[in-house]
Amino acid sequence: MTIRLYDTSARQIRDFTPLRPGCVSIYLCGATVQAAPHIGHIRSGLNFDIMRRWFEYRGLDVTFIRNVTDIDDKIIAKSAEQGRPWWAIGYENERAFTDGYQALGCLPPTYEPRATGHITEMVEMMRGLIERGHAYEADGNVYFAVTSFPEYLSLSNQELENLLQPSGEGETGKRDPRDFAMWKAAKPGEPSWETPWGRGRPGWHLECSAMAHKYLGSAFDIHGGGLDLIFPHHDNEIAQAKAYGDEFARYWVHNAWVTMSGEKMSKSLGNSVLVSEMVKRWRPIVLRYYLGTPHYRSMIEYSEEALREAESAFARIEGFVQRVVEKAGAVEPSAEVPPAFAEAMDDDLGVPQALAVVHTTVRQGNSALAADDKEAAVARLAEVRAMLGVLGLDPLDPHWAGEGDRGEDLHGVVDTLVRMVLDQREAARARKDWPTADAIRDQLNQSGLVIEDSPQGPRWSLGPR
């Protein structure tokens, strides 16, 4: 067994060899909590949740760090705009991210550190970089001197001569306009912390370098994040950490975006689709299917039609699961996934190819049901549950219990009413009044119900909307 991953720094798929046998260490750039999450934010969490689940299936012990950036320019700007404390805005949106991750079935991280809890580690890193000649203080700011680090921009593969470094307000005293801020001098009314160079607050890039070092040490396996973080964030993280003396990440894995009309989904474009609103309109397990099943390096173009297609595709899987359970009772997942599924997942987390194996197995299971081959149907369900478990999509998992009903408290009432109508349809069929029987079925279908005739009698379920 060899897992292979696309390494952004190598620009190719590489065999994955963990730093410590049997263990995997992952650092994922998590939420910047100036606003509630849209589905583009949560996609990253989903992609790395699937990666983590696959490593664990393969028997590896995973340490998964996902940070929270709870102080930065955008949060401070929101604080001024809303007239609320920066920490109140940050905490409110951190909870919204947590709710979003949980709603879509992401496993909790091993640790989820906040940037503001690690000022001491940041000061220590800056002190070391200044001593080594890679950083300097100016006007209360601390900057990284990019020309002191020959490997700078190795991840994004840019030319230093052509670099346009993003800069914020108040970044004065730079020796080179391409240098970036690790620490920003305090401004009136803004949050600040005491350092040897005066009061101020951390820069975004320094936060992650310090927290990765704190929780994963000087070297770890995988650093992850969205494609938009390659420059400047990840280039600057690498510069700080390696200049400090860390080996840092050995593999760099980046997920693609969710787009709308070809543009990256973002708050600044005003095209966000908030998770809190989406879960009111769509079952969370369907959202997970929609966001988690394309390949992590493929863009997802958001559309209602695509979501409806995902809902229909998952309904076919879920319908098979329900039919076998009705016929045979509880079926435990098999100990191993089918070889073709494992081969796809080992090859750079090939979820689309792995999902094709799921659907093939479902079709085989449905054929077994049609042939009244209970043993084969149960065997296929065991395989399907094992595969869905890896993808976090097993409808029988306790996490999703009660999720699929769109109103558990009304289910009994609806069932009674539908049964009354179905009894009328059965009476029409008994007297061979086919037009009336068909009309009743059509009316139920138009109401969003799917009616299936089975040897045990008619059965109803909620169909795709």
Side-chain angles (χ1 to χ4, degrees):
M1 175 271 293
T2 301
I3 297 175
R4 293 165 56 78
L5 295 173
Y6 184 85
D7 180 4
T8 306
S9 61
R11 294 170 185 81
Q12 64 180 355
I13 294 177
R14 296 174 53 202
D15 289 351
F16 176 73
T17 304
L19 194 63
R20 292 173 52 212
C23 300
V24 181
S25 47
I26 304 171
Y27 185 94
L28 174 63
C29 285
T32 299
V33 288
Q34 86 270 19
H38 55 64
I39 59 174
H41 294 127
I42 298 298
R43 183 194 181 182
S44 179
L46 276 174
N47 289 152
F48 285 89
D49 182 65
I50 292 171
M51 172 191 283
R52 173 195 186 166
R53 288 170 183 265
W54 185 243
F55 279 133
E56 289 180 346
Y57 171 82
R58 282 303 199 190
L60 297 163
D61 182 23
V62 180
T63 300
F64 181 56
I65 310 300
R66 185 182 66 212
N67 77 294
V68 174
T69 297
D70 61 340
I71 187 69
D72 83 333
D73 293 343
K74 294 176 182 177
I75 295 171
I76 292 171
K78 286 279 186 181
S79 173
E81 175 187 319
Q82 298 179 13
R84 298 173 61 207
W86 62 272
W87 43 264
I89 292 171
Y91 184 65
E92 174 183 279
N93 292 313
E94 181 183 337
R95 290 294 300 270
F97 269 88
T98 299
D99 290 345
Y101 290 131
Q102 289 178 344
L104 270 64
C106 293
L107 300 172
T110 310
Y111 305 110
E112 192 167 25
R114 296 189 185 108
T116 55
H118 298 80
I119 302 299
T120 299
E121 289 82 0
M122 297 179 206
V123 170
E124 181 180 339
M125 182 167 277
M126 285 188 289
R127 182 183 288 113
L129 288 169
I130 290 173
E131 291 172 355
R132 292 168 174 80
H134 293 291
Y136 58 93
E137 183 273 337
D139 300 336
N141 303 295
V142 178
Y143 298 108
F144 186 92
V146 298
T147 57
S148 73
F149 185 67
E151 298 175 44
Y152 187 57
L153 301 179
S154 61
L155 186 65
S156 63
N157 205 30
Q158 296 184 76
E159 296 291 335
L160 184 59
E161 291 73 20
N162 302 322
L163 178 66
L164 294 174
Q165 185 79 256
S167 293
E169 182 184 351
E171 293 186 13
T172 60
K174 285 187 180 181
R175 298 173 185 172
D176 185 320
R178 298 168 297 188
D179 295 345
F180 63 85
M182 294 191 294
W183 190 262
K184 302 184 179 187
K187 300 186 187 71
E190 290 189 356
S192 62
W193 290 262
E194 189 62 61
T195 75
W197 313 285
R199 294 193 67 84
R201 61 182 175 86
W204 176 31
H205 317 303
L206 177 65
E207 295 173 350
C208 284
S209 295
M211 287 187 285
H213 180 92
K214 166 81 172 183
Y215 292 94
L216 297 177
S218 61
F220 57 95
D221 291 308
I222 297 169
H223 196 311
L227 285 173
D228 52 320
L229 300 182
I230 294 174
F231 177 82
H233 187 47
H234 289 165
D235 269 323
N236 291 353
E237 277 190 67
I238 291 169
Q240 292 164 154
K242 290 196 170 183
Y244 184 67
D246 288 355
E247 181 185 341
F248 210 48
R250 301 173 71 241
Y251 297 81
W252 287 84
V253 178
H254 292 91
N255 64 275
W257 304 328
V258 178
T259 60
M260 292 181 72
S261 302
E263 294 186 274
K264 173 180 173 285
M265 187 175 286
S266 67
K267 302 183 189 77
S268 60
L269 291 174
N271 61 5
S272 300
V273 183
L274 295 180
V275 176
S276 59
E277 294 303 313
M278 292 293 285
V279 297
K280 296 175 184 176
R281 298 168 48 215
W282 301 91
R283 292 172 56 197
I285 198 169
V286 169
L287 281 176
R288 183 178 177 102
Y289 185 98
Y290 171 67
L291 293 171
T293 54
H295 194 273
Y296 74 90
R297 289 194 285 121
S298 298
M299 296 292 181
I300 299 175
E301 174 66 15
Y302 171 80
S303 72
E304 294 279 319
E305 181 182 1
L307 259 165
R308 284 192 292 272
E309 291 173 357
E311 184 178 48
S312 296
F314 185 72
R316 291 193 291 273
I317 297 173
E318 192 171 34
F320 165 68
V321 173
Q322 292 170 346
R323 284 190 290 275
V324 178
V325 170
E326 286 177 8
K327 188 177 185 68
V331 176
E332 291 301 312
S334 59
E336 295 185 2
V337 298
F341 182 95
E343 182 179 353
M345 292 298 290
D346 282 340
D347 187 13
D348 195 31
L349 303 175
V351 173
Q353 294 78 12
L355 191 64
V357 180
V358 174
H359 282 287
T360 297
T361 310
V362 166
R363 287 193 293 271
Q364 293 169 349
N366 282 327
S367 296
L369 285 172
D372 203 25
D373 187 345
K374 177 179 174 181
E375 184 179 348
V378 167
R380 298 295 79 75
L381 176 55
E383 292 172 345
V384 166
R385 286 201 66 193
M387 293 185 283
L388 293 178
V390 167
L391 302 177
L393 288 168
D394 181 1
L396 300 181
D397 186 280
H399 176 80
W400 304 114
E403 181 272 341
D405 50 69
R406 302 182 203 162
E408 181 67 28
D409 54 335
L410 292 177
H411 188 278
V413 175
V414 174
D415 183 64
T416 300
L417 294 173
V418 174
R419 291 291 170 194
M420 291 172 60
V421 178
L422 289 177
D423 287 344
Q424 295 174 18
R425 176 173 174 263
E426 286 302 292
R429 283 162 60 99
R431 63 178 183 265
K432 301 188 185 306
D433 183 0
W434 308 119
T436 298
D438 291 343
I440 292 173
R441 180 175 184 142
D442 290 344
Q443 287 177 340
L444 289 171
N445 287 340
Q446 290 171 11
S447 301
L449 300 176
V450 174
I451 306 304
E452 180 184 0
D453 293 312
S454 72
Q456 293 76 37
R459 174 172 52 216
W460 69 271
S461 62
L462 288 171
R465 61 193 75 197

